[in-house]
Amino acid sequence: MRVKLPKDDDTIVAIATPPGEGGIGILRLSGPQAPAALGRLWRGRRVVTAFESHRLYLGDLIDPVTEEALDRGMAVWMKAPRSYTGEEVIEIHAHGGPLLLNRLQEVLVAAGLRVAEPGEFTRRAYLNGKLDLLQAEAVGAMIHAHSEAALRNARGQLRGRLSDEVAALRAQLIDLLARVEAAIDFPEEDIEIIQPRQTAAAIASLQRVLTRWLEKFQLGRLLREGVRVALVGRPNVGKSSLLNRLLDEDRAIVHHQPGTTRDVVEGFLQIDGVGFQVFDTAGLREGLEAVEREGVARSRRVMAEADLVLWVLDASQPLSAEDKDILGMVASHSLRDDAPGASRGGWASILVLGNKADLPVASQNFPADWEVPRAIKGGEWLLVSAATGEGIARLKAALVEAAGVQAGPDQSHTYLNNARHREALQGAQSALDRTAAALSSARGGQAAPPVECIAADLREALSRLEALIGEVSQEDILDQVFSEFCLGK
Ligand SMILES: Nc1nc2c(ncn2[C@@H]2O[C@H](COP(=O)(O)OP(=O)(O)OP(=O)(O)O)[C@@H](O)[C@H]2O)c(=O)[nH]1
Ligand SMILES: [Mg+2]
C-alpha cells in the first residue's frame, strides 16, 4: 500500500548531539556503507566486521590518511533491520568538542559518506516501515517539547496511540467502502449490500468520531505549542511587572513612567505541566509619537492571535477613560477561531486582572465601583499584586482552567495536534458530509444517489485518513514534515 519512494542506498552521517561542548558527542551513521566507513578509522581490539549487534566497543579513532590518532571512543553497530532506520546504523561516541566532531565527520565524508539532511534518519525509518508518519512526527515533537504536557502527548503519539485510533477508523471505512463497491460491481446480484439507512448510520458514526477529534484538536495544539497569553491594558497598570512576576525573573523593563514597553516581550512558563507563552505588550493608548504607535499596533496583533487575554487594570484607581476605550477593544476583539474560549463566544478567554491590590484603596474600588459590563463582570476577574505576589497562585490556577487543558498524569489521551492533521481530518470530514447529505436527500424522496458517487466520496475520506498515518504520502508532504527536525534525527 505504502508508496515506497526510491530508496536511498547512500550512507549518511550526522553529528547527533547538539552543537557546543559536552562530555560526549555522538556521530550517527546509517546506510549500507556505515560499517566499512567506521572500519577505516577504527583501531580497536575487535575489528568492526566482528562487532556483535547492539554492543559497545572501545577503540581509537584515527585519520586513515595521516594515521593521526584523533580520539579514543566507543562505537556500536545496530545491524539491519533491527535499527532505528532499519538500515545498518553505527554510532560513534567521542568527546563532545565541536572541532573534534567536525573532524571525525570530515574523515567519514572523505570515506564516501554524505552529511544527512535534518530529519533524514527518521525519514528513512518511516520509508522503511519502522514508524508511520504520525509516529515520525512524534519524534520531532518529543525533541521540541517545552512542557510536561507536550512531552506526554508526544510520547503517546510515538507509542502509536493515535495511529491505532486512525487505523480503527480506517478499518470501518474500508468495510463500508467494500460493501458499497460490491453494489457497483454486482448490481444484479442479490448479495447483501448495505441499505441507504444502514449506510447513513455507519457514516454518521464515522462523522461523530471525526468531530470529536476535531474538537480535541485545539487541546492538542495547545499542548504542543503552549497557550498564547497576551497581557494588555493601558500604560502603567503593571503588565510588565506581572510578566516578571509570572516568570519569576526580571525580563521586561518596569518603570513608573507610562509608555515604558514599546516592543512585545515574551516569556515561557509551565504551570502544572502545561506550557504558556506569555506576551507583555505596549500599553494601549492613542499613541503620541511614531514608536509608541507602532508598539500599540503590535499589541493589537498579539491580542488577535492570543488564546487567552489578560486585561490588566490598576485596581488602586477608578476606571479611567482609557480603560473604557480598551474595554471596547477587548470586547470586540475576535479570538483566533481555535482559541479555547472561541466556542463559548470568546469571553471565557478573557481574564480581567485588578493589579496593585497591595495598595490600600484597591479593595474598595475593585470591582464594585467599576462599570465593567456584564459580559466581563460575569466572566472571571481577579485581584492581584505584581509587587507582593498576592493572588498570583490563583491567577496561575485560573490560567490552567481557562485553557481547558488538564495535564495531570492520569490524562491518558493523545491528541492530533498540527496543521497537517487538521487538514486531513477536515478533508475526511467534508467527504463524509457530502455522502451523508446525498443519502439523506435520497431518503427525502428524491432519487437515490448513484452508488458510484458514494463510493468516490468514501474513497476520498479514506485517502485523507491514510495520508494522516502516511499510508499514502507525497514527497512534498514528507519534505514538510521532516524539515522541522533537527540535524542527526
Ligand atoms: N504598588 C504596586 N505597584 C506596582 C504593581 N505593579 C506594578 N507597579 C508599579 O507600576 C508602575 C508601572 O509598572 P509597569 O510594569 O512598568 O507597567 P506597564 O503596564 O508595563 O506599563 P507600560 O509598559 O508603560 O504600558 C511601576 O512603577 C511599578 O513598580 C503592584 O502590584 N503594586
Ligand atoms: Mg510595560
Side-chain angles (χ1 to χ4, degrees):
M1 266 293 239
R2 177 170 296 168
V3 179
K4 285 259 184 205
L5 301 173
K7 190 175 163 312
D8 290 326
D9 61 358
D10 61 347
T11 300
I12 52 175
V13 56
I15 300 170
T17 38
E21 298 167 9
I24 298 172
I26 299 177
L27 286 150
R28 199 179 209 189
L29 289 61
S30 181
Q33 300 310 315
L38 173 65
R40 297 201 56 193
L41 58 154
W42 182 255
R43 297 293 177 271
R45 295 234 321 253
R46 190 179 286 231
V47 292
V48 175
T49 45
F51 276 20
E52 282 177 52
S53 188
H54 293 78
R55 280 185 173 264
L56 272 174
Y57 295 94
L58 179 70
D60 288 316
L61 301 163
I62 60 137
D63 181 331
V65 178
T66 61
E67 294 280 325
E68 180 191 359
L70 299 176
D71 197 8
R72 165 161 271 238
M74 312 261 269
V76 54
W77 178 1
M78 268 101 25
K79 296 191 179 176
R82 284 182 51 228
S83 70
Y84 181 67
T85 59
E87 303 174 334
E88 305 296 350
V89 170
I90 299 259
E91 280 176 16
I92 304 173
H93 298 217
H95 289 103
L99 269 180
L100 169 66
L101 293 173
N102 278 321
R103 178 73 189 279
L104 289 169
Q105 180 168 278
E106 278 166 23
V107 169
L108 290 163
V109 168
L113 306 197
R114 174 170 67 73
V115 177
E117 311 272 338
E120 197 171 354
F121 290 91
T122 307
R123 185 177 186 137
R124 287 182 176 208
Y126 161 71
L127 290 174
N128 290 325
K130 288 276 169 176
L131 302 167
D132 67 27
L133 205 48
L134 283 173
Q135 291 174 309
E137 279 173 327
V139 171
M142 291 268 279
I143 293 170
H144 297 303
H146 292 301
S147 67
E148 280 297 325
L151 189 58
R152 199 172 301 121
N153 201 58
R155 204 183 287 131
Q157 190 173 333
L158 183 58
R159 287 197 186 140
R161 227 180 245 154
L162 287 179
S163 312
D164 291 348
E165 289 180 28
V166 174
L169 199 65
R170 175 173 173 241
Q172 286 180 39
L173 249 178
I174 289 177
D175 183 53
L176 189 59
L177 186 58
R179 294 201 236 174
V180 171
E181 280 178 341
I184 300 175
D185 293 340
F186 311 102
E188 69 290 344
E189 298 206 7
D190 188 19
I191 60 166
E192 181 133 341
I193 58 157
I194 211 160
Q195 298 303 306
R197 193 176 297 277
Q198 287 170 276
T199 314
I203 287 171
S205 110
L206 293 172
Q207 279 175 308
R208 276 196 298 278
V209 176
L210 286 179
T211 305
R212 206 170 56 233
W213 284 355
L214 277 163
E215 278 168 6
K216 295 284 182 197
F217 170 86
Q218 66 93 358
L219 262 182
R221 181 186 66 76
L222 293 179
L223 292 182
R224 193 171 66 91
E225 295 173 5
V227 184
R228 295 171 64 95
V229 179
L231 284 157
V232 302
R234 72 174 162 81
N236 228 29
V237 291
K239 299 178 293 299
S240 301
S241 307
L242 279 168
L243 177 80
N244 293 346
R245 172 60 74 173
L246 281 170
L247 299 181
D248 217 3
E249 68 181 76
D250 212 3
R251 179 70 58 93
I253 299 173
V254 167
H255 199 270
H256 58 75
Q257 191 177 325
T260 307
T261 306
R262 300 295 178 87
D263 221 335
V264 178
V265 183
E266 65 170 283
F268 191 89
L269 83 151
Q270 261 198 78
I271 310 171
D272 292 346
V274 180
F276 290 85
Q277 224 182 332
V278 187
F279 298 86
D280 172 31
T281 63
L284 296 164
R285 64 172 166 184
E286 292 305 317
L288 313 162
E289 31 86 18
V291 179
E292 193 170 349
R293 266 209 308 280
E294 174 57 25
V296 170
R298 288 178 188 208
S299 305
R300 288 168 179 266
R301 279 204 293 277
V302 168
M303 187 152 84
E305 286 172 10
D307 297 310
L308 276 170
V309 172
L310 297 184
W311 179 24
V312 187
L313 298 159
D314 183 339
S316 70
Q317 291 177 6
L319 201 70
S320 72
E322 273 173 335
D323 288 323
K324 287 176 188 160
D325 290 344
I326 294 167
L327 170 64
M329 204 186 302
V330 171
S332 67
H333 113 271
S334 54
L335 288 162
R336 40 199 286 180
D337 58 5
D338 54 351
S343 59
R344 287 168 270 160
W347 290 111
S349 298
I350 295 165
L351 276 176
V352 185
L353 300 182
N355 187 34
K356 310 199 185 182
D358 53 295
L359 297 179
V361 274
S363 49
Q364 296 159 29
N365 280 330
F366 191 87
D369 298 352
W370 293 12
E371 307 154 40
V372 183
R374 281 177 195 288
I376 287 190
K377 217 176 195 170
E380 212 167 342
W381 55 266
L382 289 170
L383 268 180
V384 295
S385 167
T388 65
E390 178 188 336
I392 298 297
R394 256 182 300 139
L395 169 58
K396 289 185 173 177
L399 284 174
V400 175
E401 195 185 327
V405 189
Q406 258 77 49
D410 55 317
Q411 196 189 21
S412 55
H413 292 290
T414 300
Y415 304 113
L416 293 160
N417 53 56
N418 70 27
R420 190 185 76 81
H421 301 162
R422 177 150 68 172
E423 209 185 293
L425 288 182
Q426 285 171 338
Q429 199 183 38
S430 56
L432 288 181
D433 288 349
R434 280 197 304 276
T435 325
L439 283 168
S440 81
S441 69
R443 277 179 299 156
Q446 295 168 33
V451 260
E452 285 83 358
C453 290
I454 296 179
D457 284 334
L458 289 178
R459 237 177 272 123
E460 160 83 14
L462 182 63
S463 85
R464 295 303 192 116
L465 276 186
E466 292 185 332
L468 203 51
I469 42 180
E471 196 59 44
V472 277
S473 52
Q474 285 154 1
E475 192 80 13
D476 54 343
I477 293 182
L478 295 186
D479 286 344
Q480 171 72 33
V481 168
F482 291 103
S483 68
E484 287 170 18
F485 276 67
C486 39
L487 277 170
K489 197 60 228 179

